Amino acid sequence: MQSLERGLAVIRAFDGDRRSLTLSDVARETGLSRASARRFLHTLVELGYVATDGREFTLRPALLELGYAYLSSLTLPDLATPHLEKLSEQVSESSSVAVLDGADIVYVARVATRRIMSATIRVGTRFPAYATSMGRAILAYAEPAELEAYLARTAPSDRLVPLTARTVTDPRELRDALARVREQGWALVDQELEDGLRSVAAPLRDGTGRVVAAVNVSAPVRRGEIGEIVRHLLPPLLKAAAAIEADLARMR
């Protein structure tokens, strides 16, 4: 364990400001003797993690494999949760990530700052996708045939089930709403899932560019007018979505 700890200390001695280090530099930064530092550096060179010109040492790209091993072991909730925590702290509202499962969205990660719905939302909670911002953020990027199949399942009589007086129930209106989402890159739902609740969502793409999930922020109507809510919530939301997508891309 001590050898592993010292070897990692040698690796951590390098950073953006210290990309090349001499043996003396490494010994000084790690507190190791020159002999120990030399032994660890030469081992890292043999393993392909460090390169040397005979005097200075630099890290090699092979070290990225260690980070990739960690990233590839993570699931979407693992990746998203730190970003949701930061987002919720910034806007003082609850944030979530959901995926599409059949006709519903399913919450896979959530950071709640308060209870703003009559129903308790937790990981595993399901809601009809058509009435949610995250559902629309995902459906907007579905292939035409996939969207028609979805509508055939959820609106067999050419009507969607209203959840509030504001719920879009006409499939043609839903198609128009999804077209706007695709054009602007984000979705807004105003009291269509529950009275008094607004939600803004953005799609999440994997490393291939395919939309696989969505992230949202929800806020009570008393927070302010729609325009005010969008101005306050949308920029941090889009920034969080980009950060999650960057982590997803590294999982490829």
Side-chain angles (χ1 to χ4, degrees), residues 22-86:
T22 64
L23 173 61
S24 297
D25 292 333
V26 173
R28 182 176 60 256
E29 292 296 330
T30 60
L32 297 172
S33 67
R34 285 176 56 88
S36 294
R38 180 184 296 107
R39 183 168 65 253
F40 285 111
L41 283 168
H42 287 171
T43 298
L44 291 169
V45 168
E46 291 178 7
L47 293 174
Y49 294 134
V50 171
T52 182
D53 61 4
R55 180 179 180 278
E56 293 189 332
F57 297 84
T58 58
L59 299 181
R60 296 191 62 191
L63 264 176
L64 294 174
E65 296 174 358
L66 301 179
Y68 176 78
Y70 168 71
L71 283 174
S72 63
S73 69
L74 295 177
T75 63
L76 175 58
D78 293 325
L79 290 176
T81 297
H83 300 293
L84 295 182
E85 291 173 344
K86 183 177 180 179

Side-chain angles (χ1 to χ4, degrees), residues 204-241:
L204 292 175
R205 296 171 175 83
D206 64 11
T208 68
R210 183 172 62 95
V211 173
V212 295
V215 55
N216 87 334
V217 178
S218 299
V221 169
R222 64 178 180 274
R223 175 96 186 224
E225 297 298 324
I226 290 180
E228 181 182 349
I229 288 177
V230 170
R231 283 192 298 272
H232 180 71
L233 299 182
L234 184 60
L237 172 69
L238 295 179
K239 185 176 180 179

